[in-house]
Amino acid sequence: MKLNNNPEYPHSEFPVRLEHMEGKEGMDKKVCFFQSREHLQKYLNNAKLKEHQYQTYYRDNDLQTSIGSMSAATGRRN
């Protein structure tokens, strides 16, 4: 999946952004927004997504400390 180097956050109440591919052939990009890491984790568990299947981004650097290895400069999950 192509990395988003400058993710947008159109919803001020949702600082966590998730991008993943879906659809019958995995060709449709889906973008989701979450209020917290806990909501993100619940979605990931329900969707049964593996770490290599998605990218997470954080508007605020303090949100990115507990899920995987993340880049502090961009808020992008590595």
Side-chain angles (χ1 to χ4, degrees), residues 1 4 7-10 14-22 29-37 39-59 67 75 77:
M1 177 183 336
N4 187 345
E8 295 181 13
Y9 298 91
F14 299 91
V16 181
R17 178 183 173 115
L18 170 73
E19 296 179 3
H20 69 92
M21 303 307 282
E22 70 171 6
K29 183 176 179 181
K30 184 171 186 177
V31 178
C32 307
F33 295 91
F34 300 94
Q35 290 179 326
S36 67
R37 292 175 305 188
H39 292 162
L40 168 66
Q41 191 60 52
K42 183 177 178 180
Y43 179 89
L44 293 173
N45 291 343
N46 288 338
K48 298 179 182 171
L49 292 172
K50 306 291 185 218
E51 287 189 34
H52 68 279
Q53 296 176 310
Y54 62 87
Q55 293 291 320
T56 55
Y57 302 90
Y58 300 88
R59 184 180 61 212
I67 301 178
R77 183 167 183 273

